[in-house]
Amino acid sequence: MNLGEAPVRANLLSAADQSLVDGVLAGQRRALAKAITLIESTRPDHQQRAQQVLNALLPHTGRAIRIGISGVPGAGKSTFIEALGVWLIEQGKKLAVLAVDPSSSVSGGSILGDKTRMELLSQREEAFIRPSPSSGSLGGVAEKSREAMLLCEASGYDVIIIETVGVGQSETTVAGMVDMFCLLQLPNAGDDLQAIKKGIVEIADMVVINKADIDRQATAVVRAQWRNALHMLRPASPHWAPPVVALSALHKEGIADFWAQVEKYQAALKPTGEFEQKRQHQALSWMWQLIEAGLHQHFRRHPLVQENLPALTRSVEEGNTTPAAAAYALLGYLKH
Ligand code: GDP
């Protein structure tokens, strides 16, 4: 994103981009993939075009249910998403699977949303699977995934699944872009304590205990622990107490129960307006994140800031200038 670019107008679409928009709206997978690639591009001219394409598609977004699924590597995310996806297709739905994996830029490849991890699903016409963009920071990756999600909605996908790893900030980021955030857990006692420490329990709309087939008794114990842990918290909505469901992704048991909770969630929060309020809040918070990122970039690129920053940095390090005085002086350059 570049500050100071001309405002985006939908009617500026070139013929090629108009046909891209038409292709996305017609549900063509190739057009959708191409549009996502355009969004992920870091070239300024591509970014400008991507925003125009998005603007044209925006009126056609918002109809899908957006579900976040997080879990540590090995929790069974891909097995679960594949089982759920195949089940949803049997119910007549189309789903898109996207990933938010900030580590992909470090490792050079994303393990999340990888087609080889969901082999059955990737062969289905009704499923669209896209690995995490490898564009760098978590903010950058999340921004691209958010926009890819809107494109998938415009292309007629009813269910959008955003997969992320259960480590660090990425869970909070994904929770901030979906309607329902689900934590995928293993039936190991004590895992809930980890999640409580990390402050993750608060953002969960549902807890899923996978691999229930391995040890049913341990699963029941862990399920009770989770229920207690959730019970101690004040729920985000007075109309929704996050449930704890146990299932076996491998044996495809409990998938319908999981989906029943997704439907229950919507039935509980849509009539009260909370469902829509959450989306509005997320959209505004996204806008502010972009404003802050843009201001930051503007600041860093300002010639006077670039000129004076090194000396002021040294001066603060040496104790000759207070951090506040240096900050005000640098911010003052923005007025010039
Ligand atoms: P991810 O890293 O979270 O995507 O985890 P995977 O889906 O790759 O699963 C990791 C391993 O756990 C694989 O060997 C799966 O076959 C296995 N697994 C996943 N779900 C279940 C389950 O419900 N029961 C059992 N027994 N194994 C499972």
Side-chain angles (χ1 to χ4, degrees), residues 70-81 111-112 117-118 163-165 184 186 209-214 247-253:
S70 132
V72 293
K77 292 182 296 300
S78 57
T79 313
F80 173 59
I81 294 170
I111 49 153
L112 293 181
R117 289 168 67 236
M118 300 172 207
E163 183 189 8
T164 195
V165 274
L184 197 63
L186 293 168
I209 302 176
N210 188 30
K211 308 200 187 184
D213 57 290
I214 295 178
L247 53 80
S248 165
L250 189 66
H251 298 293
K252 301 175 182 55
E253 288 168 18

Side-chain angles (χ1 to χ4, degrees), residues 19-33:
S19 85
L20 194 60
V21 166
D22 294 341
V24 170
L25 287 176
Q28 291 165 10
R29 298 159 63 95
R30 272 197 57 198
L32 177 59

